[in-house]
Amino acid sequence: MTDEAESSVQSILNEFHLKNENISKLSSVYDDLDGLVQLVRRGQTNITLHCIDREELGQTNQVKQMDENMKRLLDLEENLKHTKNAKSAITPYDSELIRLENEYDNKSEKDKYLTNDRFIAYRQHIWNVKNPDEEMPPLTGEDNTDDEIVMGRTKLSFKCPITTSWLEQPLTSKTCKHSFTKTAIIQLIQINRGMVVCPVSGCNKIVKKDILYDDEILADKVKRAKAKAEEESLATEFYDVE
């Protein structure tokens, strides 16, 4: 991650870390809350890319230290959502916001982070740096007890299930988490009048345009995987010549 990107992440952490006593100040920028959420998510993406770089360099301790920053940004995203929901509630804004914040604060680490799709994806990308062909084990809490396990094993694929080739401009489904080449899935959805059953074998989730998002982190991983595959191919050709 560049110094500029790292600085932007720290800026988000420093300037937008909200607490119950000052979150109401955002009421004047209610219309911009969605934009703030996107800003926070860019920070999450920067942290993930930073951790991928550090994991590749074997700097695992630095990766672990970034976990807390990722959790803070996830907390911030939830706070922004609470602010928006409180503004639209029938009950008075302040009391509704306090209720939502207390409800979130009382959640366990499991409910806050280990079941959070963005945190799971963050850990998945880091895992795949050194274990590209292995399934990621279930996430556990700090006490590593069985009741903290929150997900089954998952394995990231860099091939599109439609084209069977490398993913290009990958789009990922918010519901089933499967990814596809952009042009391929959009064309398939259009042919099927706006929706299609997920093309991945065994998945029965419905895929529509509005549940797909540009997966920047996966695109970065595909780029790295392709480069590695090309290097290995060149090495094989070299030894064949010898």
Side-chain angles (χ1 to χ4, degrees):
M1 184 168 65
T2 65
D3 292 339
E4 182 180 354
E6 192 163 1
S7 176
S8 70
V9 172
Q10 194 58 47
S11 175
I12 292 171
L13 290 170
N14 292 338
E15 298 177 22
F16 292 96
H17 185 56
L18 306 182
K19 298 180 180 179
N20 286 340
E21 59 266 27
N22 61 22
I23 195 170
S24 59
K25 295 177 182 178
L26 276 176
S27 59
S28 61
V29 291
Y30 172 64
D31 292 337
D32 295 327
L33 287 180
D34 288 337
L36 287 175
V37 169
Q38 293 306 312
L39 175 64
V40 170
R41 287 189 172 182
R42 284 201 297 273
Q44 294 168 359
T45 297
N46 284 340
I47 285 178
T48 303
L49 293 175
H50 173 77
C51 288
I52 289 172
D53 289 337
R54 292 295 173 267
E55 188 72 9
E56 288 181 340
L57 294 172
Q59 299 172 349
T60 304
N61 288 337
Q62 290 191 28
V63 173
K64 291 180 179 178
Q65 292 171 4
M66 292 301 291
D67 263 15
E68 290 306 311
N69 285 342
M70 175 61 79
K71 289 177 180 178
R72 286 178 63 187
L73 287 182
L74 291 171
D75 290 341
L76 175 53
E77 183 178 343
E78 286 301 313
N79 283 340
L80 291 171
K81 291 177 181 178
H82 294 162
T83 302
K84 185 172 183 177
N85 291 337
K87 287 287 291 185
S88 60
I90 297 176
T91 55
Y93 170 77
D94 289 339
S95 60
E96 178 64 11
L97 183 58
I98 291 173
R99 185 190 70 78
L100 291 171
E101 287 300 312
N102 287 338
E103 184 179 279
Y104 182 74
D105 290 341
N106 289 328
K107 286 184 176 181
S108 65
E109 178 178 326
K110 168 185 174 180
D111 292 331
K112 280 185 179 179
Y113 311 117
L114 302 186
T115 57
N116 185 295
D117 290 339
R118 298 185 71 81
F119 189 77
I120 292 172
Y122 156 73
R123 286 287 188 85
Q124 177 75 67
H125 287 298
I126 295 172
W127 168 264
N128 283 328
V129 170
K130 294 184 177 178
N131 309 276
D133 299 318
E134 298 179 21
E135 296 176 336
M136 183 174 75
L139 296 182
T140 60
E142 293 181 356
D143 58 2
N144 206 36
T145 55
D146 289 341
D147 62 352
E148 291 295 324
I149 294 177
V150 299
M151 62 174 289
R153 294 178 177 270
T154 59
K155 185 176 180 179
L156 186 65
S157 173
F158 299 134
K159 298 295 180 70
C160 174
I162 303 171
T163 67
T164 68
S165 299
W166 289 102
L167 285 164
E168 296 181 12
Q169 295 180 287
L171 295 181
T172 298
S173 167
K174 296 177 183 177
T175 54
C176 63
K177 313 307 175 188
H178 292 131
S179 303
F180 320 93
T181 288
K182 184 174 184 176
T183 54
I185 189 63
I186 294 300
Q187 183 178 29
L188 191 60
I189 290 173
Q190 290 174 340
I191 292 174
N192 288 274
R193 299 182 179 181
M195 65 177 65
V196 64
V197 175
C198 178
V200 174
S201 177
C203 182
N204 60 0
K205 298 291 186 181
I206 297 297
V207 179
K208 299 185 292 184
K209 283 185 180 180
D210 60 1
I211 64 168
L212 295 171
Y213 65 92
D214 290 307
D215 199 328
E216 297 177 6
I217 296 175
L218 179 55
D220 181 76
K221 292 294 294 180
V222 172
K223 180 180 178 181
R224 293 166 186 262
K226 287 177 69 175
K228 182 178 180 181
E230 290 173 1
E231 289 178 3
E232 292 175 349
S233 177
L234 289 174
T236 300
E237 291 178 6
F238 175 79
Y239 285 115
D240 285 344
V241 171
E242 291 291 312

